[in-house]
Amino acid sequence: MSAKVAISRPIEGASGKTGSWRTFRPVIDRETCNECGLCAMYCPDGVIDGDLKIDLDFCKGCGICARECPKNAIKMIREEE
Ligand code: SF4
Ligand code: SF4
């Protein structure tokens, strides 16, 4: 695929890895996704790679990827579920 991804990569910040405090996590429905790559471009933390794998160690669950997805292929799921 030809998705454009962020150049920078996340590192652990003052709050540590986000996996421990995130409330919602994004889940991509690969059946609906057309691999346009917009989610990776919009993710402010650059945690979606070229294969659309989401690094949940650093995803903060902001939901921007889900909001920007033109196919509505990303659902924000509560961490407890
Ligand atoms: S929820 Fe936010 S931080 Fe996590 S992958 Fe989506 S845009 Fe990036
Ligand atoms: S924005 Fe949506 S359709 Fe595009 S690559 Fe991401 S999940 Fe797939």
Side-chain angles (χ1 to χ4, degrees):
M1 62 173 288
S2 61
K4 294 182 177 63
V5 296
I7 294 169
S8 62
R9 294 294 302 148
I11 60 169
E12 194 164 334
S15 308
K17 292 184 176 182
T18 53
S20 56
W21 52 259
R22 184 182 53 241
T23 310
F24 291 92
R25 82 183 117 93
V27 177
I28 298 177
D29 175 2
R30 300 300 290 248
E31 296 291 308
T32 309
C33 168
N34 66 4
E35 301 190 346
C36 68
L38 282 175
C39 53
M41 281 198 290
Y42 276 104
C43 173
D45 294 306
V47 299
I48 306 178
D49 71 13
D51 296 322
L52 302 180
K53 266 187 44 233
I54 299 173
D55 184 348
L56 291 174
D57 277 348
F58 293 105
C59 163
K60 63 190 174 192
C62 65
I64 290 174
C65 54
R67 193 180 171 100
E68 296 298 334
C69 173
K71 299 285 286 181
N72 207 17
I74 304 180
K75 298 277 172 279
M76 299 303 292
I77 308 290
R78 259 199 183 278
E79 281 297 344
E80 302 85 64
E81 290 176 8

